[in-house]
Amino acid sequence: MANGWAPDGAVQDQIDDTVKDALLAARASIPSGESATECDDCGGPIPERRREALPGVRTCVGCQSERDSKRVLPGINRRGSKDSQLR
């Protein structure tokens, strides 16, 4: 069922694109390469088990938790507002 002037399947296409964008953003944030022995933020040691579990890690658990709590995921409003569609 189409919504307005949108073709059939347009809503599912928007959902698929949003999921694809989220996956690409998540994959881009995965560290790679050689792990650091000291945290880039606080200078504290990074435990050996963390470095083995996450190759390329650059921060300790505490600093990474703080970074993750501040992370804002960019969103794209693919639907737009009703007013913008009527103009």
Side-chain angles (χ1 to χ4, degrees), residues 10-70:
V11 173
Q12 186 61 47
D13 291 342
Q14 290 175 350
I15 294 169
D16 293 343
D17 288 341
T18 301
V19 170
K20 179 182 169 187
D21 290 345
L23 283 172
L24 290 173
R27 287 180 181 150
S29 69
I30 296 173
S32 63
E34 189 173 337
S35 296
T37 56
E38 294 179 352
C39 178
D40 287 348
D41 292 349
C42 70
I46 299 174
E48 179 68 29
R49 293 190 61 165
R50 177 169 170 76
R51 288 184 281 146
E52 290 173 2
L54 294 169
V57 71
R58 309 293 304 170
T59 56
C60 65
V61 175
C63 292
Q64 187 62 49
S65 295
E66 188 175 329
R67 281 185 179 189
D68 290 345
S69 68
K70 294 179 181 178

